[in-house]
């Protein structure tokens, strides 16, 4: 099963979802290497189709970067779009609420040859994004959504860069937007649409609505439709495709602390059945390498790199018998030497703990009322006053 992205063919229809503070260049490199380990060997059944693709292992998207920060070339935004050394497809996710600013950001990425694929974020449910009219609540303003996608597609096309859209089902059950948004994205020239099958109100709670992915696939027929939500294993991905008819999957929280999930995903779609079941020593080896890559990414700033690594500790250690004191200590590491010492103190001979190491990562949270701009739900269209306020919201963004 392959997936098209512009002129490229993906031998494995799998995309690493952009996750703030997680999918930076070091983590993408670990996931990409793991994916390559799952590729079938030449001569295996189905290997020709996978290995003969332009991108056999799938696509790995950067953290979301705001369009205004990118246009202003803030140091953090430039770091976010800096690819890993072996990144053959430089994939950047862009966020914005003002068509002119989004267009300028895409123009910069394309004219300076900084991206091979650009994804637009219409799926973020975080209040600091939605209260500005961005992320998952933006498609409610259908003319604004269409304008942003059209200008982004137009600017990306100048460099033959495919432009894709990632979105949620809508604001809440009473304000669904995904079917109309999918059609508008298709009409604007998007290369594919990906649906996280939850509303903004659901956040990450409950279960993804696979029936919504199937409905979008039935509605949007000219471009690929990808499904996202609750993919914790390769079997989950295969089941989603079988149940919904979608053309590929987007994997987010399921790979946190488990970059080797991409080995399983690639092998699963290739039909080889190969899988990774790491013992704690293997996990420690990957965790240590993650730390090394983070230090390189942050230009040798070991303190910052290890602080950024802390959030990954609980994910890596999920299911293993480590103990509360050791977990708390690892969550406070401040140097590579400190990491080495704390890892060496663990019982590294533990085998893979099975289901205890799998399943949901992090907190799912609970449903909540999304924060939206004043009067946002009164109309599906945007007026001049609201357009001006959105432009001001873009101007107020200074970080990546």
């Amino acid at each position: 099963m392959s997936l098209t992205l512009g002129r490229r063919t993906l031998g494995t229809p799998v995309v690493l979802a952009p996750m703030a503070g997680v999918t930076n260049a070091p983590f993408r490199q670990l996931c990409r290497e793991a994916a390559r380990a799952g590729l079938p060997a030449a001569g295996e059944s189905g290997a020709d189709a996978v290995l003969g693709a332009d991108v056999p292992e799938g696509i790995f998207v950067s953290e979301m970067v705001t369009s205004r920060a990118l246009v202003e070339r803030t140091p953090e935004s430039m770091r976010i779009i800096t690819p890993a050394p072996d990144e053959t497809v430089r994939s950047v996710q862009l966020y914005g609420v003002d068509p002119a600013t989004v267009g300028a950001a895409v123009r910069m990425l394309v004219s300076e040859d900084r991206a091979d694929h650009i994804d637009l974020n219409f799926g973020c449910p975080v209040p600091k994004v939605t209260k500005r009219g961005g992320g998952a609540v933006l498609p409610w303003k259908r003319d604004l959504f269409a304008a942003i996608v059209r200008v982004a597609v137009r600017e990306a096309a100048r460099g033959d860069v495919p432009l894709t859209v990632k979105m949620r089902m809508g604001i809440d059950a009473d304000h669904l937007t995904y079917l109309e948004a999918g059609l508008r994205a298709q009409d604007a020239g998007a290369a594919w649409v990906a649906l996280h099958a939850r509303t903004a109100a659901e956040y990450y709670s409950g279960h993804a609505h696979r029936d919504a992915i199937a409905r979008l696939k039935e509605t949007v027929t000219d471009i690929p439709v990808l499904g996202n939500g609750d993919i914790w294993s390769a079997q989950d991905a295969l089941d989603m495709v079988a149940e919904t008819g979608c053309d590929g999957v987007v994997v987010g929280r399921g790979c946190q602390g488990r970059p080797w999930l991409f080995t399983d995903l690639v092998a699963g779609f290739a039909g080889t059945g190969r899988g990774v079941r790491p013992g704690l020593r293997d996990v420690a080896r990957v965790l240590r390498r993650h730390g090394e890559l983070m230090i390189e990414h942050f230009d040798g700033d070991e303190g910052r790199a290890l602080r950024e690594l802390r959030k990954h500790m609980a994910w890596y250690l999920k299911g293993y018998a480590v103990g509360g004191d050791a977990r708390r200590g690892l969550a406070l590491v401040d140097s590579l030497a400190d990491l080495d010492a704390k890892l060496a103190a663990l019982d590294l001979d533990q085998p893979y703990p099975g289901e205890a190491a799998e399943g949901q990562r992090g907190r799912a949270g609970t449903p909540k009322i999304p924060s939206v701009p004043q009067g946002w739900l009164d109309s599906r269209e945007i007026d001049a006053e609201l357009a001006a306020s959105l432009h001001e919201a873009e101007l107020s963004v200074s970080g990546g």
Side-chain angles (χ1 to χ4, degrees):
M1 180 179 177
S2 60
L3 174 67
T4 57
L5 177 61
R7 298 181 185 276
R8 289 184 169 90
T9 300
L10 280 58
T12 305
V14 172
V15 177
L16 168 65
M19 292 178 281
V22 177
T23 59
N24 56 18
F27 187 71
R28 295 198 308 275
Q29 184 170 343
L30 292 173
C31 291
R32 195 165 45 254
E33 291 171 356
R36 289 169 181 164
L39 293 172
E44 281 191 85
S45 176
D48 289 348
V50 177
L51 299 177
D54 303 302
V55 190
E57 69 272 22
I59 293 292
F60 301 83
V61 188
S62 74
E63 300 171 84
M64 181 183 79
V65 60
T66 63
S67 53
R68 172 55 58 182
L70 192 58
V71 170
E72 293 177 349
R73 298 174 184 270
T74 65
E76 190 57 26
S77 68
M78 300 306 290
R79 187 188 303 280
I80 286 174
I81 67 169
T82 299
D86 68 336
E87 210 141 15
T88 53
V89 179
R90 301 161 300 168
S91 183
V92 173
Q93 194 191 60
L94 193 62
Y95 156 80
V97 295
D98 175 54
T101 310
V102 172
V106 174
R107 190 179 313 123
M108 171 194 165
L109 289 170
V110 172
S111 64
E112 298 179 10
D113 188 25
R114 293 180 178 273
D116 303 302
H117 164 229
I118 299 171
D119 186 58
L120 293 183
N121 181 299
F122 299 105
C124 183
V126 175
K128 70 178 181 180
V129 169
T130 62
K131 73 180 181 181
R132 297 179 182 275
V137 307
L138 191 146
W140 178 252
K141 297 299 185 182
R142 49 195 170 199
D143 52 345
L144 176 62
F145 173 81
I148 289 175
V149 179
R150 279 198 305 268
V151 70
V153 167
R154 185 188 69 217
E155 294 297 337
R158 298 180 191 276
D160 198 24
V161 173
L163 190 290
T164 60
V165 165
K166 186 171 187 286
M167 59 186 181
R168 285 199 174 217
M169 292 169 59
I171 298 174
D172 54 34
D174 296 323
H175 302 87
L176 299 178
T177 55
Y178 70 105
L179 296 179
E180 182 181 29
L183 288 171
R184 286 178 178 266
Q186 174 180 264
D187 292 344
W192 73 44
V193 291
L195 178 66
H196 183 156
R198 287 182 172 88
T199 63
E202 289 174 302
Y203 219 69
Y204 296 99
S205 65
H207 299 284
H209 304 280
R210 289 188 180 177
D211 58 323
I213 298 171
R215 199 169 300 121
L216 182 63
K217 176 60 182 172
E218 293 168 355
T219 303
V220 175
T221 57
D222 293 345
I223 59 176
V225 170
L226 279 64
N228 176 218
D230 298 346
I231 295 178
W232 312 113
S233 68
Q235 191 59 53
D236 288 335
L238 296 172
D239 289 346
M240 178 179 282
V241 171
E243 292 175 21
T244 69
C246 66
D247 301 285
V249 298
V250 180
V251 180
R253 293 174 298 148
C255 70
Q256 291 176 341
R258 295 174 67 211
W260 48 85
L261 175 58
F262 284 93
T263 306
D264 294 2
L265 287 163
V266 171
F269 277 104
T272 65
R274 189 179 299 125
V276 177
R277 302 294 179 266
L280 187 55
R281 190 176 301 279
D282 300 312
V283 172
R285 189 178 301 115
V286 175
L287 183 48
R288 211 277 182 184
R289 182 147 187 275
H290 196 165
E292 293 173 348
L293 292 173
M294 291 283 265
I295 293 170
E296 293 176 15
H297 179 65
F298 289 109
D299 301 321
D301 187 341
E302 188 171 358
R304 179 178 180 186
L306 271 295
R307 287 193 298 273
E308 290 289 331
L309 186 64
R310 291 172 181 175
K311 68 170 70 75
H312 296 263
M313 295 298 178
W315 300 329
Y316 274 113
L317 299 174
K318 178 178 167 63
Y320 295 89
V322 172
D325 289 344
R327 289 178 186 274
R328 285 187 287 274
L330 282 162
L332 295 172
V333 291
D334 56 11
S335 68
L336 207 54
D338 187 24
L339 176 63
D340 286 340
K342 287 183 168 65
L343 289 176
L346 302 179
D347 174 13
L348 295 177
D349 292 327
Q350 294 179 50
Y352 186 68
E355 292 184 1
E358 300 170 4
Q360 184 165 302
R361 332 295 288 178
R363 298 175 181 173
T366 57
K368 55 199 69 176
I369 299 174
S371 299
V372 297
Q374 182 72 30
W376 189 257
L377 300 179
D378 294 346
S379 167
R380 295 297 310 276
E381 312 301 329
I382 188 166
D383 57 28
E385 181 179 353
L386 187 52
S389 70
L390 291 175
H391 182 66
E392 289 299 317
E394 286 274 16
L395 291 175
S396 71
V397 174
S398 60

